[in-house]
Amino acid sequence: MNQASTTDSPLSQRTACPVTRAQNIIAGKWKIVLLWHLSTGTKRFHELEHLLPGISKGILTRQLRELEADEMIDRKVYREVPPKVEYSLTDTGHSFLPILDQMAAWSNRHFPPESKS
């Protein structure tokens, strides 16, 4: 009998490869950009919303919650009226910054921004 081993299952393939595990954390249209903006410091929800024109509140909330669940960002709620919520990078999120820097360098090298002359 030729049965596939458990390491051949789609679930184990998604979790066994380190690149796939990283991709699962940063997958999402806005996650990398959110991490980039948070690399400059703590931001409030509305600041992030302003920095990402075109994102809906629901999508922003979902992407932030997923990054929080993956321990890339921290969410701090202040007991005030009106409520104040701030987002910042965790140590894990900070450890991703060199990768973001390399992505930016690669982008600038291969796809330089158009000059405004």
Side-chain angles (χ1 to χ4, degrees):
M1 208 187 292
N2 187 7
Q3 290 184 325
S5 71
T6 56
T7 59
D8 292 335
S9 74
L11 177 59
S12 63
Q13 289 173 6
R14 286 194 308 267
T15 57
C17 172
V19 173
T20 302
R21 289 194 311 266
Q23 179 187 18
N24 288 338
I25 291 168
I26 60 171
K29 181 177 179 178
W30 302 99
K31 286 183 181 179
I32 290 175
V33 179
L34 281 165
L35 293 170
W36 182 259
H37 285 301
L38 289 171
S39 73
T40 63
T42 300
K43 303 276 188 290
R44 293 181 67 179
F45 184 89
H46 292 294
E47 288 178 272
L48 292 169
E49 196 174 28
H50 179 73
L51 290 167
L52 302 167
I55 193 169
S56 71
K57 287 182 183 194
I59 296 295
L60 178 56
T61 299
R62 184 176 332 140
Q63 300 273 277
L64 289 168
R65 285 182 182 161
E66 290 173 6
L67 286 168
E68 183 184 13
D70 288 326
E71 300 179 359
M72 296 292 283
I73 65 170
D74 185 48
R75 178 178 184 261
K76 185 172 183 179
V77 180
Y78 295 88
R79 298 183 189 273
E80 298 178 358
V81 177
K84 177 180 171 182
V85 179
E86 292 181 337
Y87 296 91
S88 59
L89 294 178
T90 61
D91 288 342
T92 303
H94 279 285
S95 72
F96 189 71
L97 295 183
I99 297 167
L100 284 177
D101 290 339
Q102 287 296 312
M103 291 172 69
W106 176 84
S107 175
N108 285 332
R109 187 170 47 253
H110 296 287
F111 307 98
E114 296 180 27
S115 62
K116 296 182 180 181
S117 23

